[in-house]
């Protein structure tokens, strides 16, 4: 009899080990290609950083604010031009009609003086009425106050000239540390240079419209007066004196 040879195991394929489960299909492990072909999550673009949004918002706000300011200034300029054309406004005008010195007693520590002031106020406007509060008056020689007083308040109609009078006096000691050397030097020459300062508040009226009261300062410089001898007062030289009106307000608010 011929001998039959039975192989003990299946031949290996490409050097691979025989399957352990006999004739069943071998279990294949996942290859790299299979691993890399797995579905990936969908890419979602990230929103831009918030800083850029804030920058853009701030730039828009600045631009809008600038445009608003420009529009307001433009409207104010147009309103001012229309007001000027319609009413031709003029500042209040002041001048010194007369200033007399009847008393001037001076020592190293105190001063007693008496001035008689006549002031002229002019309103050159055709449609604007001025209403003044009481006017505070101070007279200086250099930096030293030599007279202090007040003028009564008044209302001045259009195209009007108003004359007001007051007595300006001083009877108080000099503050500590006051330098009176310049005043002594002027008294030796018997020709005293003076400066007049007026402080008040004024209101404009145009028909039924009126402004809120605002401050006005008037400076009258270049006054010269000699010292009195005996009981006769001396009169200051005021022909070349100019009074400068300095309105001190920021915004005029109209009310009805």
């Amino acid at each position: 009899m011929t001998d039959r040879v039975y192989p003990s195991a299946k031949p290996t394929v490409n050097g691979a080990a025989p399957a352990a489960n006999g004739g069943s299909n071998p279990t294949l492990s996942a290859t790299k290609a299979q691993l890399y072909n797995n579905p990936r999550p969908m890419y979602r673009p990230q929103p831009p950083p918030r800083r850029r949004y804030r920058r853009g918002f701030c730039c828009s706000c600045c631009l809008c604010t600038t445009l608003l300011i420009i529009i307001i200034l433009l409207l104010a300029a147009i309103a001012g031009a229309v007001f000027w054309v319609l009413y031709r406004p003029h500042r209040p005008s002041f001048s010194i009609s007369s200033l007399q010195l009847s008393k001037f007693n001076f020592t190293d520590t105190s001063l007693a003086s008496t001035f008689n002031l006549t002031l002229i106020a002019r309103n050159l406007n055709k449609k604007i009425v001025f209403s003044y509060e009481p006017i505070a008056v101070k007279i200086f020689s250099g930096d030293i106050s030599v007279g202090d007083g007040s003028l009564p308040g008044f209302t001045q109609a259009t195209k009007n000239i108003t004359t007001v009078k007051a007595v300006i006096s001083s009877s108080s000691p000099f503050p500590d540390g006051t330098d009176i050397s310049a005043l002594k030097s002027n008294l030796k020459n018997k020709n005293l240079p003076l400066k007049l300062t007026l402080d008040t508040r004024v209101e404009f009226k145009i028909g039924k419209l009126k402004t809120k009261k605002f401050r006005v300062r008037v400076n009258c410089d270049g006054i010269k007066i000699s010292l009195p001898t005996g009981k006769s007062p001396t009169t200051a030289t005021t022909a070349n004196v100019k009074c400068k009106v300095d309105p001190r307000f920021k915004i005029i608010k109209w009310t009805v």
Side-chain angles (χ1 to χ4, degrees):
M1 294 179 66
T2 58
D3 296 330
R4 296 181 179 178
V5 179
Y6 296 93
S8 59
K10 291 184 179 181
T12 60
V13 180
N14 294 333
N21 56 354
S24 62
N25 295 328
T27 303
L28 298 178
S29 61
T31 63
K32 291 183 178 181
Q34 292 174 336
L35 290 175
Y36 285 123
N37 289 331
N38 287 337
R40 297 181 181 180
M42 183 180 297
Y43 173 75
R44 296 180 180 178
Q46 298 295 326
R50 292 185 178 180
R51 292 181 180 178
R52 295 181 182 177
Y53 173 75
R54 290 178 180 176
R55 286 182 183 177
F57 180 74
C58 292
C59 291
S60 299
C61 288
C62 292
L63 181 60
C64 292
T65 303
T66 303
L67 291 176
L68 181 60
I69 293 174
I70 292 174
I71 293 173
I72 292 175
L73 293 177
L74 183 61
L75 292 177
I78 294 173
V82 172
F83 177 79
W84 177 267
V85 171
L86 292 178
Y87 297 103
R88 299 285 182 177
H90 296 275
R91 289 185 179 186
S93 176
F94 293 88
S95 62
I96 299 175
S97 174
S98 174
L99 179 64
Q100 293 183 335
L101 177 59
S102 58
K103 177 183 177 181
F104 198 88
N105 297 328
F106 170 74
T107 65
D108 291 342
T109 58
S110 64
L111 172 66
S113 64
T114 301
F115 294 87
N116 297 311
L117 173 65
T118 302
L119 188 71
I120 296 178
R122 292 180 175 86
N123 182 4
L124 304 177
N125 295 280
K126 297 180 179 180
K127 298 181 180 180
I128 301 176
V129 176
F130 296 147
S131 180
Y132 294 95
E133 289 188 349
I135 303 172
V137 183
K138 289 186 177 181
I139 300 176
F140 295 90
S141 180
D143 296 329
I144 300 175
S145 176
V146 296
D148 194 354
S150 64
L151 295 169
F154 58 94
T155 298
Q156 192 172 28
T158 59
K159 304 294 289 184
N160 179 266
I161 298 176
T162 303
T163 302
V164 288
K165 298 181 179 181
V167 175
I168 313 300
S169 61
S170 175
S171 59
S172 59
F174 295 118
D176 295 338
T178 302
D179 185 8
I180 60 174
S181 58
L183 183 58
K184 284 184 176 181
S185 178
N186 291 325
L187 290 176
K188 289 180 181 180
N189 299 326
K190 295 184 179 182
N191 193 8
L192 194 65
L194 301 176
K195 180 177 69 174
L196 189 71
T197 300
L198 310 175
D199 283 296
T200 185
R201 298 177 67 189
V202 63
E203 180 183 73
F204 289 172
K205 294 181 180 179
I206 305 175
K208 294 183 179 180
L209 297 176
K210 63 181 180 179
T211 68
K212 289 189 175 182
K213 295 179 180 180
F214 59 90
R215 293 179 57 195
V216 171
R217 170 166 288 183
V218 183
N219 293 313
C220 304
D221 204 352
I223 308 169
K224 293 183 179 181
I225 193 169
S226 58
L227 297 180
T229 57
K231 295 183 180 180
S232 299
T234 57
T235 303
T237 303
T238 60
N240 297 323
V241 175
K242 293 183 179 180
C243 296
K244 181 182 178 181
V245 180
D246 181 18
R248 299 193 169 192
F249 63 92
K250 294 181 178 180
I251 299 175
I252 298 177
K253 295 182 179 180
W254 295 90
T255 57
V256 179

